[in-house]
Amino acid sequence: MRYSQANLAKARRCPPFRSLANSLRISVITTKRAYSELEAQGFIDTVQGKGSFVTGGNVELLREERMRQVELLLSQAIDKAQAIGVTSAELHEMIDTLEENE
């Protein structure tokens, strides 16, 4: 089960974190922490006794976080490539080839 901004409608009720933890076979503490982080970032609101609901979130904030993750991965790839003498042109060619195969 995968949740993202794209497939959760605003105001839709999230599954109770205990039920979600059970269905995913993960710790209730981990699930509770994830819900707390989602609430802190404005993606869900939790109402005592009613549950957690999707707020619509900040799509731009989510995109920016994902961009930072990509930048980190690319930076690591560049460092490894430079360590073995791969040129910038070769890196660009690799990326182009990978995109074509997607």
Side-chain angles (χ1 to χ4, degrees), residues 25-95:
R25 295 183 180 160
I26 61 173
S27 166
V28 171
I29 294 168
T30 300
T31 309
K32 175 88 170 111
R33 186 178 311 132
Y35 273 48
S36 294
E37 289 177 21
L38 288 169
E39 187 169 18
Q41 293 177 12
F43 291 104
I44 64 171
D45 280 328
T46 301
V47 179
Q48 187 70 28
K50 302 239 183 225
S52 298
F53 300 85
V54 176
T55 62
N58 185 336
V59 175
E60 190 57 37
L61 176 67
L62 183 60
R63 186 180 189 317
E64 185 62 33
E65 176 59 30
R66 288 179 177 165
M67 290 291 287
R68 278 195 294 270
Q69 292 171 356
V70 170
E71 287 173 0
L72 176 62
L73 292 171
L74 287 172
S75 178
Q76 292 170 352
I78 289 167
D79 290 344
K80 289 182 180 188
Q82 287 175 341
I84 62 168
V86 175
T87 67
S88 179
E90 290 171 319
L91 276 174
H92 286 277
E93 186 177 326
M94 287 177 184
I95 291 171

